[in-house]
Amino acid sequence: MLFRSNGTLAYFISKEDISKGGEFQTGLTINVFPKLKQGSAIERGRAFVDNLVAKHPGSNHWDRRVGPFQQYGCNVTDTDQSGTTVTSTYVLANPKTNTLYLLIFESPQSTWDTYAQIEKQVMSTMSLDDSF
């Protein structure tokens, strides 16, 4: 499913049907913030992940170069009244176009091991056009 709002592109790939309620438990959210007018995509990406890590001390996080992109990310486990959810967040910044990509994989903790394998496959085969 694709949504567009204020220039941001939002894609949703989920196990559940989100056409009615707009929510899912297991899936991938991709937000693309093309050609940011204000601020650096790299700094905004770093700040986004730093904020998540600050809210979840002890979470696994990383900062690395992937081709022309700067990548920040973290894995977070969150518990609320509905249960425990694991999220794996990747932020890719394209310094050439100042575009920011936000990918969030999420699943209930009970199914995370299976879903994490899909995440690894997606992230190892995904390619982005660095001219966008």
Side-chain angles (χ1 to χ4, degrees):
M1 204 168 241
L2 166 66
F3 294 97
R4 192 181 286 246
S5 175
N6 296 328
T8 299
L9 303 171
Y11 303 87
F12 304 94
I13 303 167
S14 63
K15 181 178 174 183
E16 299 86 17
D17 179 4
I18 64 168
S19 62
K20 294 184 178 108
E23 295 181 4
F24 61 83
Q25 288 187 339
T26 302
L28 167 62
T29 299
I30 303 172
N31 288 305
V32 181
F33 305 91
K35 300 177 182 164
L36 296 173
K37 304 281 187 259
Q38 296 179 346
S40 156
I42 288 176
E43 292 306 315
R44 288 176 75 176
R46 178 182 294 130
F48 184 87
V49 171
D50 285 350
N51 187 42
L52 281 174
V53 170
K55 290 179 181 177
H56 300 88
S59 60
N60 176 33
H61 60 282
W62 59 89
D63 172 346
R64 59 183 165 234
R65 192 85 177 156
V66 179
F69 299 94
Q70 183 63 43
Q71 183 187 97
Y72 305 97
C74 63
N75 295 321
V76 171
T77 301
D78 236 342
T79 302
D80 63 17
Q81 68 277 5
S82 65
T84 301
T85 301
V86 178
T87 60
S88 189
T89 301
Y90 296 80
V91 179
L92 292 116
N94 182 341
K96 184 166 77 171
T97 63
N98 209 36
T99 295
L100 191 66
Y101 302 84
L102 171 64
L103 293 88
I104 304 171
F105 294 86
E106 63 184 281
S107 172
Q109 188 174 36
S110 61
T111 58
W112 180 253
D113 289 342
T114 300
Y115 189 62
Q117 297 307 311
I118 296 169
E119 170 200 351
K120 287 177 187 172
Q121 184 177 10
V122 168
M123 292 308 294
S124 67
T125 59
M126 179 184 71
S127 64
L128 295 173
D129 180 351
D130 69 342
S131 68
F132 182 75

